[in-house]
mmCIF file of all heavy atoms in Angstrom:
data_model
loop_
_atom_site.group_PDB
_atom_site.id
_atom_site.type_symbol
_atom_site.label_atom_id
_atom_site.label_comp_id
_atom_site.label_asym_id
_atom_site.label_seq_id
_atom_site.Cartn_x
_atom_site.Cartn_y
_atom_site.Cartn_z
ATOM 1 N N LYS A 556 -10.635 -15.739 38.816
ATOM 2 C CA LYS A 556 -10.875 -15.525 37.381
ATOM 3 C C LYS A 556 -11.486 -14.143 37.136
ATOM 4 O O LYS A 556 -11.049 -13.402 36.250
ATOM 5 C CB LYS A 556 -11.842 -16.594 36.847
ATOM 6 C CG LYS A 556 -11.194 -17.959 36.646
ATOM 7 C CD LYS A 556 -12.234 -18.944 36.144
ATOM 8 C CE LYS A 556 -11.657 -20.345 36.057
ATOM 9 N NZ LYS A 556 -12.639 -21.348 35.680
ATOM 10 N N LEU A 557 -12.508 -13.806 37.969
ATOM 11 C CA LEU A 557 -13.170 -12.507 37.775
ATOM 12 C C LEU A 557 -12.200 -11.357 38.046
ATOM 13 O O LEU A 557 -12.193 -10.349 37.328
ATOM 14 C CB LEU A 557 -14.399 -12.390 38.689
ATOM 15 C CG LEU A 557 -15.569 -13.312 38.331
ATOM 16 C CD1 LEU A 557 -16.701 -13.156 39.344
ATOM 17 C CD2 LEU A 557 -16.079 -13.007 36.922
ATOM 18 N N SER A 558 -11.360 -11.541 39.082
ATOM 19 C CA SER A 558 -10.428 -10.456 39.439
ATOM 20 C C SER A 558 -9.434 -10.198 38.311
ATOM 21 O O SER A 558 -9.215 -9.048 37.915
ATOM 22 C CB SER A 558 -9.639 -10.799 40.711
ATOM 23 O OG SER A 558 -10.507 -11.212 41.699
ATOM 24 N N ILE A 559 -8.867 -11.276 37.777
ATOM 25 C CA ILE A 559 -7.854 -11.055 36.724
ATOM 26 C C ILE A 559 -8.515 -10.476 35.469
ATOM 27 O O ILE A 559 -7.940 -9.630 34.782
ATOM 28 C CB ILE A 559 -7.050 -12.351 36.408
ATOM 29 C CG1 ILE A 559 -5.845 -12.053 35.512
ATOM 30 C CG2 ILE A 559 -7.881 -13.433 35.759
ATOM 31 C CD1 ILE A 559 -4.763 -11.273 36.152
ATOM 32 N N THR A 560 -9.754 -10.897 35.202
ATOM 33 C CA THR A 560 -10.446 -10.373 34.012
ATOM 34 C C THR A 560 -10.719 -8.886 34.180
ATOM 35 O O THR A 560 -10.421 -8.078 33.291
ATOM 36 C CB THR A 560 -11.775 -11.132 33.785
ATOM 37 O OG1 THR A 560 -11.480 -12.521 33.765
ATOM 38 C CG2 THR A 560 -12.438 -10.731 32.489
ATOM 39 N N LEU A 561 -11.262 -8.528 35.345
ATOM 40 C CA LEU A 561 -11.568 -7.127 35.596
ATOM 41 C C LEU A 561 -10.294 -6.284 35.553
ATOM 42 O O LEU A 561 -10.246 -5.222 34.916
ATOM 43 C CB LEU A 561 -12.247 -6.998 36.970
ATOM 44 C CG LEU A 561 -12.725 -5.593 37.321
ATOM 45 C CD1 LEU A 561 -13.877 -5.186 36.403
ATOM 46 C CD2 LEU A 561 -13.183 -5.532 38.780
ATOM 47 N N PHE A 562 -9.257 -6.811 36.190
ATOM 48 C CA PHE A 562 -7.994 -6.079 36.237
ATOM 49 C C PHE A 562 -7.436 -5.881 34.823
ATOM 50 O O PHE A 562 -6.963 -4.795 34.468
ATOM 51 C CB PHE A 562 -6.994 -6.842 37.117
ATOM 52 C CG PHE A 562 -5.687 -6.121 37.267
ATOM 53 C CD1 PHE A 562 -5.618 -4.901 37.920
ATOM 54 C CD2 PHE A 562 -4.512 -6.658 36.739
ATOM 55 C CE1 PHE A 562 -4.406 -4.219 38.049
ATOM 56 C CE2 PHE A 562 -3.302 -5.986 36.861
ATOM 57 C CZ PHE A 562 -3.255 -4.771 37.516
ATOM 58 N N SER A 563 -7.529 -6.948 34.001
ATOM 59 C CA SER A 563 -6.959 -6.838 32.646
ATOM 60 C C SER A 563 -7.736 -5.811 31.817
ATOM 61 O O SER A 563 -7.135 -5.051 31.057
ATOM 62 C CB SER A 563 -6.928 -8.197 31.950
ATOM 63 O OG SER A 563 -8.227 -8.719 31.883
ATOM 64 N N VAL A 564 -9.060 -5.771 31.985
ATOM 65 C CA VAL A 564 -9.854 -4.800 31.221
ATOM 66 C C VAL A 564 -9.514 -3.375 31.681
ATOM 67 O O VAL A 564 -9.309 -2.466 30.860
ATOM 68 C CB VAL A 564 -11.367 -5.092 31.381
ATOM 69 C CG1 VAL A 564 -12.204 -3.979 30.758
ATOM 70 C CG2 VAL A 564 -11.722 -6.427 30.742
ATOM 71 N N LEU A 565 -9.398 -3.188 32.996
ATOM 72 C CA LEU A 565 -9.044 -1.855 33.518
ATOM 73 C C LEU A 565 -7.641 -1.457 33.063
ATOM 74 O O LEU A 565 -7.378 -0.299 32.723
ATOM 75 C CB LEU A 565 -9.112 -1.854 35.058
ATOM 76 C CG LEU A 565 -10.517 -1.974 35.653
ATOM 77 C CD1 LEU A 565 -10.453 -2.078 37.177
ATOM 78 C CD2 LEU A 565 -11.373 -0.764 35.239
ATOM 79 N N PHE A 566 -6.754 -2.437 33.041
ATOM 80 C CA PHE A 566 -5.372 -2.193 32.615
ATOM 81 C C PHE A 566 -5.349 -1.707 31.154
ATOM 82 O O PHE A 566 -4.649 -0.749 30.813
ATOM 83 C CB PHE A 566 -4.577 -3.502 32.761
ATOM 84 C CG PHE A 566 -3.094 -3.331 32.678
ATOM 85 C CD1 PHE A 566 -2.359 -2.830 33.752
ATOM 86 C CD2 PHE A 566 -2.407 -3.698 31.521
ATOM 87 C CE1 PHE A 566 -0.982 -2.693 33.676
ATOM 88 C CE2 PHE A 566 -1.029 -3.558 31.439
ATOM 89 C CZ PHE A 566 -0.315 -3.056 32.524
ATOM 90 N N ALA A 567 -6.170 -2.382 30.303
ATOM 91 C CA ALA A 567 -6.241 -1.988 28.884
ATOM 92 C C ALA A 567 -6.863 -0.596 28.760
ATOM 93 O O ALA A 567 -6.413 0.225 27.964
ATOM 94 C CB ALA A 567 -7.062 -3.005 28.097
ATOM 95 N N ALA A 568 -7.893 -0.342 29.578
ATOM 96 C CA ALA A 568 -8.558 0.969 29.522
ATOM 97 C C ALA A 568 -7.577 2.062 29.958
ATOM 98 O O ALA A 568 -7.513 3.131 29.351
ATOM 99 C CB ALA A 568 -9.784 0.961 30.420
ATOM 100 N N TYR A 569 -6.797 1.766 30.996
ATOM 101 C CA TYR A 569 -5.817 2.741 31.487
ATOM 102 C C TYR A 569 -4.811 3.095 30.386
ATOM 103 O O TYR A 569 -4.416 4.244 30.230
ATOM 104 C CB TYR A 569 -5.101 2.152 32.711
ATOM 105 C CG TYR A 569 -3.902 2.939 33.168
ATOM 106 C CD1 TYR A 569 -4.064 4.136 33.858
ATOM 107 C CD2 TYR A 569 -2.608 2.490 32.898
ATOM 108 C CE1 TYR A 569 -2.963 4.871 34.263
ATOM 109 C CE2 TYR A 569 -1.501 3.216 33.300
ATOM 110 C CZ TYR A 569 -1.675 4.400 33.979
ATOM 111 O OH TYR A 569 -0.591 5.132 34.368
ATOM 112 N N HIS A 570 -4.442 2.080 29.608
ATOM 113 C CA HIS A 570 -3.489 2.324 28.519
ATOM 114 C C HIS A 570 -4.176 2.794 27.240
ATOM 115 O O HIS A 570 -3.513 3.002 26.217
ATOM 116 C CB HIS A 570 -2.681 1.057 28.222
ATOM 117 C CG HIS A 570 -1.610 0.807 29.234
ATOM 118 N ND1 HIS A 570 -1.818 0.074 30.377
ATOM 119 C CD2 HIS A 570 -0.325 1.230 29.288
ATOM 120 C CE1 HIS A 570 -0.706 0.045 31.083
ATOM 121 N NE2 HIS A 570 0.211 0.740 30.448
ATOM 122 N N LYS A 571 -5.503 2.912 27.276
ATOM 123 C CA LYS A 571 -6.310 3.283 26.088
ATOM 124 C C LYS A 571 -5.882 2.442 24.883
ATOM 125 O O LYS A 571 -5.651 2.954 23.787
ATOM 126 C CB LYS A 571 -6.148 4.771 25.768
ATOM 127 C CG LYS A 571 -6.659 5.698 26.836
ATOM 128 C CD LYS A 571 -6.703 7.118 26.271
ATOM 129 C CE LYS A 571 -7.152 8.121 27.277
ATOM 130 N NZ LYS A 571 -6.179 8.618 28.191
ATOM 131 N N SER A 572 -5.744 1.134 25.123
ATOM 132 C CA SER A 572 -5.211 0.278 24.069
ATOM 133 C C SER A 572 -6.252 -0.722 23.584
ATOM 134 O O SER A 572 -6.639 -1.639 24.290
ATOM 135 C CB SER A 572 -3.983 -0.475 24.594
ATOM 136 O OG SER A 572 -3.637 -1.481 23.692
#
Side-chain angles (χ1 to χ4, degrees):
K556 284 179 185 176
L557 291 177
S558 310
I559 190 69
T560 307
L561 185 67
F562 183 65
S563 58
V564 172
L565 291 175
F566 194 77
Y569 170 75
H570 283 89
K571 296 192 182 82
S572 168

